[in-house]
Amino acid sequence: MAASQTLQLSSLNNVEILPIQVIDIEENKIQEPAVDEFDYSQRGQWLRAAVLGANDGLVSVASLMMGVASVKNDIKAVMVAGFAGLVAGACSMAIGEFVSVCTQRDVEISQMKREKRERSLESDENDEKLPNPGQAAVASALAFAVGAVLPLLAAAFIKQPKVRMAVVFVVASVALVAFGVVGALLGGTPVVKSSARVLVGGWMAMGTTFGLTKLIGIDHGMQI
């Protein structure tokens, strides 16, 4: 009789110990230091379209204007060329981004359908994660236009050709650094590295366009 009571008491003690251990484990999990779980890749789609569009608009139009200015001093020719580059570039960026994101969306939808067949997942849960082609296209076109407007505004009110080219170069350089900093801050990447990469790339594009256009214009006596 005494032995059975002892067994019952020991079993009760075991039952009481288990919840305490579970609570301790849960408390330890709660007390663990919080980790920054923000996923910067969620910003990737619109950030990529916006930064790429702004940089392309700025570099393309600034390079185009400097190339034309290298063989023609007329401000009208420079501004018309820059405006044509703005319109053509914005349309090109929008169409290209739309086609690219549509392709990406089709691939992701196909992958979701395969996972649904294999794991019986609900497709509605992942619809919000799909890329939006229209949003990406509009963001890319607007960003291109914003970047392209800067060199146009910088050159609009300057009459002397050399001063005009210098101002366009300076404005484009400052804007490139600004775009690099903004992209780095929003994307969580090193600021100096990102800004330097954008700036040097822009300088190379402007210098190459200016040099080659001037070379061809001088050799062939081109008149615009």
Side-chain angles (χ1 to χ4, degrees):
M1 193 68 181
S4 63
Q5 291 179 353
T6 304
L7 291 173
Q8 292 177 355
L9 291 174
S10 62
S11 63
L12 289 174
N13 291 333
N14 291 334
V15 172
E16 294 175 355
I17 291 172
L18 290 176
I20 295 174
Q21 293 177 350
V22 174
I23 292 174
D24 290 338
I25 294 173
E26 292 178 353
E27 289 179 353
N28 290 333
K29 290 181 179 179
I30 294 174
Q31 292 176 357
E32 290 180 355
V35 180
D36 185 8
E37 297 180 352
F38 183 80
D39 186 8
Y40 285 98
S41 63
Q42 294 178 356
R43 293 173 171 173
Q45 189 61 49
W46 68 267
L47 179 61
R48 180 180 67 85
V51 174
L52 181 62
N55 279 287
D56 279 358
L58 177 64
V59 174
S60 298
V61 173
S63 300
L64 180 61
M65 293 174 64
M66 294 184 69
V68 174
S70 67
V71 295
K72 188 73 173 178
N73 293 331
D74 186 10
I75 187 174
K76 183 178 180 180
V78 174
M79 296 300 294
V80 169
F83 181 77
L86 186 157
V87 176
C91 294
S92 177
M93 289 292 294
I95 296 172
E97 193 69 22
F98 184 83
V99 173
S100 175
V101 177
C102 281
T103 303
Q104 179 183 351
R105 184 185 178 92
D106 293 340
V107 172
E108 294 186 8
I109 290 176
S110 299
Q111 180 64 27
M112 288 169 56
K113 290 180 179 179
R114 286 193 294 268
E115 292 179 353
K116 183 182 177 182
R117 288 194 299 266
E118 294 175 359
R119 305 178 186 178
S120 299
L121 294 177
E122 293 294 333
S123 61
D124 293 339
E125 296 178 357
N126 295 325
D127 286 346
E128 296 180 355
K129 298 180 181 180
L130 292 174
N132 188 332
Q135 182 181 4
V138 172
S140 182
L142 290 178
F144 187 97
V146 169
V149 163
L150 296 178
L152 285 171
L153 292 177
F157 305 103
I158 300 177
K159 296 181 179 180
Q160 296 184 3
K162 294 183 179 180
V163 177
R164 187 189 311 128
M165 285 192 296
V167 171
V168 169
F169 178 79
V170 172
V171 170
S173 299
V174 173
L176 285 171
V177 173
F179 290 152
V181 171
V182 172
L185 293 177
L186 293 177
T189 58
V191 175
V192 176
K193 182 179 179 180
S194 177
S195 301
R197 182 170 55 233
V198 173
L199 180 61
V200 172
W203 283 351
M204 292 176 63
M206 288 186 288
T208 302
T209 305
F210 178 85
L212 291 178
T213 305
K214 188 174 183 63
L215 180 63
I216 294 174
I218 292 176
D219 289 345
H220 299 279
M222 296 175 61
Q223 296 293 328
I224 300 178

